[in-house]
Amino acid sequence: MTKPGQAHDAILRGGMVVDGSGAAAYRADVAVAGDRIAALGDLRGATAELDIDAAGKIVAPGFVDAHTHDDFALIDQPDMAMKVSQGVTTVVVGNCGFSAMPLPADGELPSSYLVRGARDLRFSGLAPYFEFLARHPAAVNTAGLIGHSALRLSSMAELDRPATADEIAAMRGLLARDMAAGAVGFSTGLEYPTNRAASTEEVIAVASAVEPFQGVCTIHSRNYDKRLKAGMDEALKIGREAGVRLVLSHHQGDGPENAGHVRWTLALIDEARRQQSV
């Protein structure tokens, strides 16, 4: 409710509100003050600096784009028009093992997955990355995953082999530091050259560092071809043995042999949910 004549920064009038609760859409006015919804309902007596006729339109919370590679797009294209024009107000960066942090002074991630901007910036961890965004804010909110490829580049001289115990310890230390700084989890992409040589045991050991922080582990599986089940089994094992909430980054099967795979892949996931969070 709102008091008669009360002023707000903005009012969206007459739209169909879809509030995310699962309830049916309903017609209402929505008032905004600062960065908060201030009132909801019949606001005919209220005024606002910005008064928007939303009749015939949907009014909803902003969408979360949970799988992006926008780490540097936030810096190079801070208006994020490609996202806000679609109603996205939060992006999750650092997917598939590719994150802008932590990156060493040398060593490159595949440019096709994480294009570095013209400023050629390097971030040693999540804290300096978020500090940069605080000084140069983008138009969307950001949640950060810490990528396995970035951790390997920061901890290993060669990426074409499994990590040693000391290198795993170094990756775990960096990951724990960045989780403490506000990361939401760890990501890996076991199909990609920077992570392909990592053993299952390496990924389990690194991923388990997010467990004390109740973070997630997102996995782009090792295989989506005729070895699709083996790739899914490995991903499920990693989440289960690391004791973390698992996100399967992609639900796909490549090639004609995987046509109609959802008949068994969804059943596999449902069965896994009986003993782990996935």
Side-chain angles (χ1 to χ4, degrees):
M1 298 297 293
T2 190
K3 297 177 182 177
Q6 182 174 345
H8 301 284
D9 293 330
I11 297 178
L12 295 87
R13 298 190 186 274
M16 292 299 294
V17 174
V18 178
D19 62 16
S21 68
Y26 56 92
R27 190 178 308 280
D29 305 327
V30 180
V32 177
D35 60 359
R36 300 285 179 180
I37 294 174
L40 180 66
D42 183 352
L43 306 180
R44 278 176 290 186
T47 61
E49 182 178 343
L50 179 62
D51 203 297
I52 300 170
D53 180 4
K57 296 180 171 60
I58 296 292
V59 180
F63 302 133
V64 178
D65 191 344
H67 189 102
T68 84
H69 297 281
D70 291 337
D71 303 50
F72 286 107
L74 293 161
I75 295 169
D76 292 337
Q77 305 173 61
D79 62 357
M80 294 297 286
M82 68 286 199
K83 297 299 169 80
V84 297
S85 64
Q86 301 182 74
V88 172
T89 56
T90 299
V91 297
V92 182
V93 300
N95 282 280
C96 294
F98 303 118
S99 63
M101 66 320 239
L103 287 180
D106 53 9
E108 294 290 343
L109 293 175
S111 61
S112 58
Y113 293 97
L114 191 61
V115 178
R116 286 170 52 197
R119 294 182 235 201
D120 198 31
L121 296 170
R122 290 278 174 152
F123 299 99
S124 60
L126 186 78
Y129 178 73
F130 275 178
E131 286 165 5
F132 184 95
L133 290 179
R135 295 194 304 272
H136 309 278
V140 293
N141 303 306
T142 306
L145 295 165
I146 304 303
H148 193 191
S149 294
L151 292 171
R152 293 186 111 230
L153 275 170
S154 297
S155 306
M156 302 173 63
E158 311 90 15
L159 304 185
D160 58 352
R161 57 170 177 77
T164 66
D166 286 345
E167 290 163 343
I168 289 172
M171 285 189 271
R172 286 175 54 85
L174 291 172
L175 180 55
R177 177 203 65 185
D178 285 349
M179 291 297 298
V184 296
F186 163 76
S187 80
T188 189
L190 296 173
E191 193 176 29
Y192 298 113
T194 44
N195 294 329
R196 190 177 296 154
S199 66
T200 305
E201 292 69 28
E202 173 189 327
V203 187
I204 292 169
V206 176
S208 65
V210 308
E211 188 276 333
F213 301 92
Q214 298 183 314
V216 300
C217 170
T218 74
I219 297 182
H220 174 122
S221 299
R222 201 179 294 273
N223 304 106
Y224 295 104
D225 52 20
K226 60 185 178 182
R227 297 160 292 177
L228 172 61
K229 185 175 186 304
M232 291 185 68
D233 285 343
E234 180 189 33
L236 292 168
K237 177 180 179 179
I238 290 166
R240 187 169 59 250
E241 296 196 5
V244 295
R245 292 177 293 162
L246 175 67
V247 176
L248 297 171
S249 288
H250 310 291
H251 185 209
Q252 71 184 66
D254 299 339
E257 64 269 25
N258 285 313
H261 67 82
V262 293
R263 286 191 292 271
W264 64 265
T265 52
L266 288 176
L268 180 67
I269 293 168
D270 285 342
E271 179 61 29
R273 283 184 174 140
R274 297 176 186 273
Q275 56 181 316
Q276 67 186 109
S277 175
V278 55

